[in-house]
Amino acid sequence: MMFRKTLLVGSSVFTLWGGIALAADAPVSKPQKGLPAKKQIVAVSASSASQPLSSQAVSELITVSAARTPTRTDDIGTALTIITEEQMLTQQRRTLPDILARQPGLNVVRSGGFGATTAIFMRGNNANEVKVRLDGMDVNDGSSASGMFDAGQFVTDGLGRIEILRGPQSGLYGADAMAGVIDMTTAQGQGRFKPFVRIEGGSYGTFNQVIGARGSKGRFHYNVELSHYRMEGFHSIPRYIERYYGATQEQRHKGNRNDNRSANIRLGYDVTRNFDLGLTARLIQSNYHTYSLYDLQSEAYGGGNVREQNNMNQAVVRGTAHLVSFNGFFDQVIGLGYMTNRNRWNETGLYATGPDYYRSSRLKIDWHGTFDFRKYGTLLIGAEHFHDTFDSSHTAASAYDTGYHTQASMDTTAGYGQYQGNWNHILYGAANIRYDSNSRYGNYVTWRVAPSIHIPHTGTIIKASAGSGFHGPTLYQLFSNQVGSSYSQTGNSNLRAERLIGYDAGVEQKLLGDKLHFGATWYDNRVKNLIQSTENVQMVGGYPYYQYSYGNVARARMYGVEAFLDWQALKTLDFNLNYTWTHARDLSSNLPLQRRPQHKFNFNTTWTPIQDLTFSGNILYVSGWRDLPVIGTSYCSTCGKGHGYFTVDIAANYKINRYVSIFARADNLLNRQYEEPIGYLQPGRGGYGGVTLSY
């Protein structure tokens, strides 16, 4: 039923705009003004990965997200990372958490294997303070209590590009962008009809299939990919927890199972040379069965045969119309998007409390236009309107469980502007300001400036940025109403948005004809009005009654360093490494923030010894962190100490001929047993391989 509604919405968008092409805010397939022909990037994504992306190509990539208009990465002060489709395919990173875990400034926390709830922390900020977008549509999950984007079921098939903007971005992107933005774009089809099939199998019952086709015919271009991923038998409970609860042999062999089906579509039609239409859609349906440490704990206390099951359905659809007028002087995009989440959680066992339903929807209409004043810079203006709904219900399971049903909605209207220019090709920069008006939690003004200084004839670039950000309370935090026999969880309609002021400054250097590129950035973020859970205990009939709600009760400071080095040692050999140092503390309690490792190091190399054969190797190190303990009598959020870890991954791709390619990879080659978060093992050594048939 949900997909029928989604298809109906998609058909309406298609009819409204007529066809489609651009799902991103700005077209990356058009030449960029002001760049020499040899440096213009006319197609960021590729259909296959036979050669590694060179360091020189990385330095010349164009960012579309940092200024919402195509801009050379060197010409803006924003700290950013661009991941291409070619890199994802070469490294064989099939899921979004796997590729993001390797990037500077990010810490990815996943409660188990593929499919488990996954949080993305950026620069020490909370996961719900990172805005995630897909083809111009905001996809943070409004059905969850925190409103964060859960990357657990998101696969990388069909993605052509991921841009990671670090630092407050609310001046352009509004609420939830106070830590940064992860902006994903679906690959655009080009050229002849190119169908393919990929089959992959391996450890933990992995059996994945992907089928798709992309290309163009006249003015019409398309990219359609359908995928099915299966994982079965992964056991996520550490041995020491099993010993603590006296696990039986049967309990020690209970595993998680995930079944994921996704459809990824991008269609486009160039009506004229200056006018094109676009439509994108991503549909995800998953069934995730899990046996966690809390299920083991419940069984140890006589809870019977406990299992959890989460069924998730998500659809993201967006249509756009893009028009260039007056010989390129005015470039504008209008978009209409719709997103819906439908989640059902259920638990078996003597103390089962389900099913629970979490539903949300988001309707967005947006427009922005860019005036190109040539040597005098560009002026961007835009407006957006969101309508968000939330519906959560719980079925009463016993006389002591009354159940609940909460419905709420809110509207946000925003306008923004930005000027971008340069002085003598030495000083580049962008400055923006935005006004957001929300029907539930008020009005907010945010801003950002991002200068970049090129020191002539040295290859040295000095970058800096400063800005403000905010994260609004979710509909759950505002209006939740769960009342039980011994506790209640109620919202706080007086919550204010969290606020942030952030700064960063860094230097980048290019040497050896741009084959060697390195740099470092210092950042400092200060947050106030942090929304946290509050607790009040009253005695009722001689028994404690726990009352939970939310309040703006905390302040925090996060600062640190991000450094990188990219070196194209040979035409066939690349080295890339990055390091992140993070210090994050709650200023109200003077305690470290939960799940923020202080050190993170990632090293990746890509080697093509002969044509059509590519090797990729990766080493990831993450230091220890503070977390919630899962056994014992201490229950504060940072009383537990997570142990640091490092993993080694290798991958190989070989193209036998134009029709057949084979691939293989080994993840966690040294079989390191590690948890992140505490209590949830991550997969040990795993081997995978398969074949791709293409035409």
Side-chain angles (χ1 to χ4, degrees), residues 39 55-61 72-75 452 454-455 457-463 507-519 564 566-567:
K39 292 190 177 183
S55 300
Q56 185 174 1
V58 170
S59 70
E60 294 177 352
L61 279 175
R72 288 183 56 185
T73 56
D74 291 344
D75 297 346
S452 173
H454 294 225
I455 300 179
H457 313 299
T458 66
T460 303
I461 304 173
I462 300 173
K463 293 188 174 186
V507 60
E508 298 182 8
Q509 181 67 53
K510 297 179 181 180
L511 299 172
L512 306 179
D514 289 356
K515 293 181 179 180
L516 179 62
H517 187 197
F518 58 91
F564 74 93
D566 299 325
W567 179 32

Tab-separated table of all heavy atoms in Angstrom, residues 39 55-61 72-75 452 454-455 457-463 507-519 564 566-567:
chain	number	residue	atom	x	y	z
A	39	LYS	N	39.836	21.812	-17.515
A	39	LYS	CA	39.534	21.651	-16.096
A	39	LYS	C	38.044	21.577	-15.831
A	39	LYS	O	37.634	21.500	-14.689
A	39	LYS	CB	40.137	22.809	-15.290
A	39	LYS	CG	41.656	22.792	-15.267
A	39	LYS	CD	42.198	23.783	-14.281
A	39	LYS	CE	43.714	23.707	-14.211
A	39	LYS	NZ	44.268	24.624	-13.203
A	55	SER	N	45.041	11.852	-7.874
A	55	SER	CA	45.106	12.968	-6.936
A	55	SER	C	44.866	14.291	-7.643
A	55	SER	O	44.244	15.200	-7.117
A	55	SER	CB	46.455	12.977	-6.235
A	55	SER	OG	46.669	11.792	-5.515
A	56	GLN	N	45.364	14.405	-8.869
A	56	GLN	CA	45.173	15.648	-9.601
A	56	GLN	C	43.703	15.856	-9.911
A	56	GLN	O	43.188	16.965	-9.803
A	56	GLN	CB	45.979	15.623	-10.904
A	56	GLN	CG	45.907	16.954	-11.661
A	56	GLN	CD	46.821	16.977	-12.862
A	56	GLN	OE1	47.496	16.001	-13.144
A	56	GLN	NE2	46.854	18.087	-13.550
A	57	ALA	N	42.999	14.766	-10.284
A	57	ALA	CA	41.576	14.897	-10.558
A	57	ALA	C	40.812	15.297	-9.308
A	57	ALA	O	39.889	16.097	-9.350
A	57	ALA	CB	41.029	13.581	-11.112
A	58	VAL	N	41.228	14.750	-8.144
A	58	VAL	CA	40.565	15.108	-6.896
A	58	VAL	C	40.702	16.601	-6.635
A	58	VAL	O	39.765	17.273	-6.248
A	58	VAL	CB	41.154	14.291	-5.720
A	58	VAL	CG1	40.648	14.829	-4.400
A	58	VAL	CG2	40.790	12.825	-5.863
A	59	SER	N	41.896	17.176	-6.857
A	59	SER	CA	42.121	18.591	-6.569
A	59	SER	C	41.305	19.492	-7.475
A	59	SER	O	41.064	20.647	-7.138
A	59	SER	CB	43.605	18.927	-6.707
A	59	SER	OG	44.003	18.869	-8.061
A	60	GLU	N	40.876	18.992	-8.621
A	60	GLU	CA	40.133	19.810	-9.567
A	60	GLU	C	38.641	19.518	-9.560
A	60	GLU	O	37.917	20.035	-10.400
A	60	GLU	CB	40.684	19.598	-10.976
A	60	GLU	CG	42.107	20.095	-11.132
A	60	GLU	CD	42.674	19.807	-12.510
A	60	GLU	OE1	42.009	19.081	-13.276
A	60	GLU	OE2	43.765	20.294	-12.807
A	61	LEU	N	38.175	18.701	-8.626
A	61	LEU	CA	36.756	18.401	-8.571
A	61	LEU	C	35.952	19.654	-8.241
A	61	LEU	O	36.430	20.569	-7.580
A	61	LEU	CB	36.472	17.315	-7.536
A	61	LEU	CG	36.728	15.874	-7.986
A	61	LEU	CD1	36.522	14.917	-6.836
A	61	LEU	CD2	35.806	15.508	-9.142
A	72	ARG	N	34.804	25.486	-7.752
A	72	ARG	CA	36.024	24.715	-7.525
A	72	ARG	C	36.266	24.570	-6.034
A	72	ARG	O	36.117	25.527	-5.269
A	72	ARG	CB	37.212	25.392	-8.185
A	72	ARG	CG	37.210	25.299	-9.713
A	72	ARG	CD	38.455	25.923	-10.297
A	72	ARG	NE	39.669	25.327	-9.741
A	72	ARG	CZ	40.903	25.761	-10.004
A	72	ARG	NH1	41.083	26.799	-10.792
A	72	ARG	NH2	41.942	25.169	-9.470
A	73	THR	N	36.660	23.392	-5.608
A	73	THR	CA	36.863	23.143	-4.189
A	73	THR	C	37.933	24.056	-3.598
A	73	THR	O	37.895	24.370	-2.404
A	73	THR	CB	37.251	21.677	-3.953
A	73	THR	OG1	38.418	21.357	-4.735
A	73	THR	CG2	36.122	20.744	-4.352
A	74	ASP	N	38.892	24.493	-4.407
A	74	ASP	CA	39.948	25.390	-3.923
A	74	ASP	C	39.441	26.805	-3.669
A	74	ASP	O	40.102	27.583	-2.973
A	74	ASP	CB	41.093	25.456	-4.932
A	74	ASP	CG	41.870	24.156	-5.024
A	74	ASP	OD1	41.718	23.322	-4.115
A	74	ASP	OD2	42.615	23.980	-6.004
A	75	ASP	N	38.269	27.137	-4.242
A	75	ASP	CA	37.825	28.528	-4.249
A	75	ASP	C	36.797	28.838	-3.175
A	75	ASP	O	36.102	29.858	-3.255
A	75	ASP	CB	37.248	28.880	-5.626
A	75	ASP	CG	38.281	28.776	-6.730
A	75	ASP	OD1	39.483	28.698	-6.404
A	75	ASP	OD2	37.894	28.753	-7.911
A	452	SER	N	38.713	31.990	1.068
A	452	SER	CA	39.836	31.162	0.656
A	452	SER	C	40.872	32.069	-0.007
A	452	SER	O	40.539	32.847	-0.910
A	452	SER	CB	39.380	30.079	-0.328
A	452	SER	OG	40.468	29.368	-0.868
A	454	HIS	N	44.452	32.302	-2.077
A	454	HIS	CA	45.453	31.625	-2.894
A	454	HIS	C	46.727	32.480	-2.909
A	454	HIS	O	46.707	33.611	-3.407
A	454	HIS	CB	44.944	31.442	-4.325
A	454	HIS	CG	43.782	30.512	-4.437
A	454	HIS	ND1	43.704	29.531	-5.399
A	454	HIS	CD2	42.652	30.387	-3.709
A	454	HIS	CE1	42.573	28.864	-5.266
A	454	HIS	NE2	41.916	29.378	-4.243
A	455	ILE	N	47.819	31.955	-2.370
A	455	ILE	CA	49.084	32.684	-2.405
A	455	ILE	C	49.745	32.419	-3.757
A	455	ILE	O	50.080	31.272	-4.079
A	455	ILE	CB	50.006	32.248	-1.254
A	455	ILE	CG1	49.304	32.520	0.084
A	455	ILE	CG2	51.338	32.966	-1.332
A	455	ILE	CD1	50.102	32.102	1.284
A	457	HIS	N	51.759	31.574	-7.028
A	457	HIS	CA	52.988	30.874	-7.421
A	457	HIS	C	53.576	29.998	-6.313
A	457	HIS	O	54.758	29.653	-6.356
A	457	HIS	CB	54.058	31.882	-7.881
A	457	HIS	CG	53.551	32.910	-8.828
A	457	HIS	ND1	53.013	32.595	-10.059
A	457	HIS	CD2	53.471	34.270	-8.708
A	457	HIS	CE1	52.644	33.710	-10.670
A	457	HIS	NE2	52.900	34.737	-9.873
A	458	THR	N	52.782	29.625	-5.310
A	458	THR	CA	53.295	28.786	-4.227
A	458	THR	C	52.538	27.474	-4.080
A	458	THR	O	53.034	26.547	-3.444
A	458	THR	CB	53.215	29.533	-2.885
A	458	THR	OG1	51.834	29.749	-2.536
A	458	THR	CG2	53.965	30.846	-2.946
A	459	GLY	N	51.328	27.394	-4.623
A	459	GLY	CA	50.496	26.219	-4.411
A	459	GLY	C	49.887	26.164	-3.028
A	459	GLY	O	49.332	25.135	-2.622
A	460	THR	N	49.967	27.280	-2.282
A	460	THR	CA	49.442	27.337	-0.919
A	460	THR	C	48.065	27.992	-0.915
A	460	THR	O	47.863	29.044	-1.540
A	460	THR	CB	50.392	28.131	-0.006
A	460	THR	OG1	51.684	27.537	-0.050
A	460	THR	CG2	49.883	28.143	1.425
A	461	ILE	N	47.130	27.388	-0.202
A	461	ILE	CA	45.778	27.915	-0.070
A	461	ILE	C	45.437	27.974	1.413
A	461	ILE	O	45.577	26.981	2.135
A	461	ILE	CB	44.746	27.036	-0.803
A	461	ILE	CG1	45.117	26.881	-2.276
A	461	ILE	CG2	43.349	27.615	-0.662
A	461	ILE	CD1	44.251	25.888	-3.021
A	462	ILE	N	45.016	29.135	1.870
A	462	ILE	CA	44.576	29.320	3.251
A	462	ILE	C	43.048	29.378	3.251
A	462	ILE	O	42.458	30.181	2.522
A	462	ILE	CB	45.174	30.593	3.862
A	462	ILE	CG1	46.705	30.510	3.857
A	462	ILE	CG2	44.658	30.805	5.284
A	462	ILE	CD1	47.372	31.798	4.291
A	463	LYS	N	42.435	28.539	4.055
A	463	LYS	CA	40.980	28.474	4.108
A	463	LYS	C	40.490	28.751	5.519
A	463	LYS	O	41.170	28.445	6.497
A	463	LYS	CB	40.477	27.101	3.659
A	463	LYS	CG	40.710	26.796	2.188
A	463	LYS	CD	40.013	25.497	1.796
A	463	LYS	CE	40.099	25.240	0.299
A	463	LYS	NZ	39.313	24.056	-0.116
A	507	VAL	N	45.206	25.265	6.279
A	507	VAL	CA	46.090	25.551	5.154
A	507	VAL	C	46.252	24.276	4.342
A	507	VAL	O	46.317	23.178	4.898
A	507	VAL	CB	47.458	26.079	5.642
A	507	VAL	CG1	48.153	25.076	6.533
A	507	VAL	CG2	48.341	26.487	4.473
A	508	GLU	N	46.290	24.420	3.027
A	508	GLU	CA	46.507	23.305	2.115
A	508	GLU	C	47.674	23.635	1.193
A	508	GLU	O	47.880	24.803	0.823
A	508	GLU	CB	45.247	23.009	1.294
A	508	GLU	CG	44.059	22.601	2.142
A	508	GLU	CD	42.833	22.269	1.302
A	508	GLU	OE1	42.968	22.206	0.055
A	508	GLU	OE2	41.747	22.088	1.883
A	509	GLN	N	48.430	22.612	0.827
A	509	GLN	CA	49.622	22.807	-0.007
A	509	GLN	C	49.627	21.795	-1.140
A	509	GLN	O	49.343	20.616	-0.926
A	509	GLN	CB	50.886	22.643	0.832
A	509	GLN	CG	52.173	22.853	0.062
A	509	GLN	CD	52.330	24.300	-0.394
A	509	GLN	OE1	52.232	25.228	0.406
A	509	GLN	NE2	52.561	24.506	-1.694
A	510	LYS	N	49.960	22.264	-2.346
A	510	LYS	CA	50.109	21.402	-3.514
A	510	LYS	C	51.555	21.452	-3.990
A	510	LYS	O	52.137	22.531	-4.120
A	510	LYS	CB	49.179	21.841	-4.645
A	510	LYS	CG	47.704	21.748	-4.300
A	510	LYS	CD	46.832	22.212	-5.452
A	510	LYS	CE	45.362	22.142	-5.096
A	510	LYS	NZ	44.491	22.582	-6.213
A	511	LEU	N	52.123	20.269	-4.253
A	511	LEU	CA	53.493	20.158	-4.710
A	511	LEU	C	53.578	19.136	-5.834
A	511	LEU	O	52.615	18.404	-6.112
A	511	LEU	CB	54.415	19.743	-3.556
A	511	LEU	CG	54.513	20.694	-2.343
A	511	LEU	CD1	55.298	20.035	-1.221
A	511	LEU	CD2	55.143	22.024	-2.744
A	512	LEU	N	54.753	19.056	-6.467
A	512	LEU	CA	55.034	18.051	-7.499
A	512	LEU	C	54.003	18.090	-8.620
A	512	LEU	O	53.496	17.067	-9.061
A	512	LEU	CB	55.066	16.641	-6.878
A	512	LEU	CG	56.013	16.449	-5.686
A	512	LEU	CD1	55.907	15.016	-5.175
A	512	LEU	CD2	57.447	16.775	-6.100
A	513	GLY	N	53.702	19.295	-9.081
A	513	GLY	CA	52.736	19.417	-10.166
A	513	GLY	C	51.355	18.966	-9.768
A	513	GLY	O	50.643	18.339	-10.567
A	514	ASP	N	50.959	19.264	-8.556
A	514	ASP	CA	49.657	18.899	-7.989
A	514	ASP	C	49.499	17.408	-7.736
A	514	ASP	O	48.401	16.942	-7.441
A	514	ASP	CB	48.499	19.382	-8.878
A	514	ASP	CG	48.341	20.890	-8.844
A	514	ASP	OD1	49.069	21.548	-8.078
A	514	ASP	OD2	47.489	21.407	-9.583
A	515	LYS	N	50.577	16.650	-7.822
A	515	LYS	CA	50.478	15.220	-7.529
A	515	LYS	C	50.502	14.943	-6.026
A	515	LYS	O	50.077	13.878	-5.584
A	515	LYS	CB	51.614	14.460	-8.213
A	515	LYS	CG	51.510	14.456	-9.728
A	515	LYS	CD	52.637	13.660	-10.372
A	515	LYS	CE	52.496	13.655	-11.886
A	515	LYS	NZ	53.594	12.879	-12.538
A	516	LEU	N	51.004	15.900	-5.249
A	516	LEU	CA	51.029	15.789	-3.799
A	516	LEU	C	50.204	16.932	-3.221
A	516	LEU	O	50.442	18.100	-3.511
A	516	LEU	CB	52.465	15.865	-3.272
A	516	LEU	CG	52.633	15.781	-1.750
A	516	LEU	CD1	52.131	14.436	-1.226
A	516	LEU	CD2	54.094	16.006	-1.361
A	517	HIS	N	49.218	16.572	-2.404
A	517	HIS	CA	48.291	17.548	-1.853
A	517	HIS	C	48.078	17.209	-0.379
A	517	HIS	O	47.668	16.085	-0.056
A	517	HIS	CB	46.966	17.489	-2.618
A	517	HIS	CG	45.997	18.570	-2.242
A	517	HIS	ND1	44.652	18.495	-2.561
A	517	HIS	CD2	46.163	19.748	-1.579
A	517	HIS	CE1	44.040	19.577	-2.107
A	517	HIS	NE2	44.940	20.348	-1.509
A	518	PHE	N	48.373	18.141	0.517
A	518	PHE	CA	48.190	17.871	1.934
A	518	PHE	C	47.736	19.141	2.633
A	518	PHE	O	47.886	20.261	2.120
A	518	PHE	CB	49.471	17.326	2.574
A	518	PHE	CG	50.673	18.218	2.448
A	518	PHE	CD1	50.977	19.166	3.415
A	518	PHE	CD2	51.517	18.115	1.339
A	518	PHE	CE1	52.085	19.991	3.293
A	518	PHE	CE2	52.630	18.930	1.211
A	518	PHE	CZ	52.912	19.875	2.185
A	519	GLY	N	47.176	18.964	3.841
A	519	GLY	CA	46.697	20.113	4.587
A	519	GLY	C	46.137	19.717	5.928
A	519	GLY	O	46.009	18.542	6.265
A	564	PHE	N	44.978	15.755	6.170
A	564	PHE	CA	44.914	14.802	5.059
A	564	PHE	C	46.175	14.893	4.224
A	564	PHE	O	46.900	15.899	4.246
A	564	PHE	CB	43.690	15.062	4.177
A	564	PHE	CG	43.835	16.284	3.303
A	564	PHE	CD1	44.316	16.181	1.998
A	564	PHE	CD2	43.518	17.542	3.785
A	564	PHE	CE1	44.471	17.294	1.194
A	564	PHE	CE2	43.672	18.673	2.997
A	564	PHE	CZ	44.142	18.547	1.697
A	566	ASP	N	47.129	13.422	0.116
A	566	ASP	CA	46.844	12.660	-1.103
A	566	ASP	C	48.081	12.727	-1.997
A	566	ASP	O	48.562	13.817	-2.311
A	566	ASP	CB	45.637	13.246	-1.856
A	566	ASP	CG	44.368	13.213	-1.022
A	566	ASP	OD1	44.205	12.256	-0.251
A	566	ASP	OD2	43.558	14.151	-1.136
A	567	TRP	N	48.547	11.554	-2.417
A	567	TRP	CA	49.783	11.506	-3.211
A	567	TRP	C	49.611	10.530	-4.361
A	567	TRP	O	49.354	9.358	-4.152
A	567	TRP	CB	50.963	11.074	-2.335
A	567	TRP	CG	52.272	10.983	-3.080
A	567	TRP	CD1	52.672	11.733	-4.134
A	567	TRP	CD2	53.346	10.077	-2.799
A	567	TRP	NE1	53.928	11.371	-4.547
A	567	TRP	CE2	54.373	10.353	-3.733
A	567	TRP	CE3	53.540	9.070	-1.854
A	567	TRP	CZ2	55.560	9.636	-3.756
A	567	TRP	CZ3	54.737	8.379	-1.864
A	567	TRP	CH2	55.737	8.653	-2.805
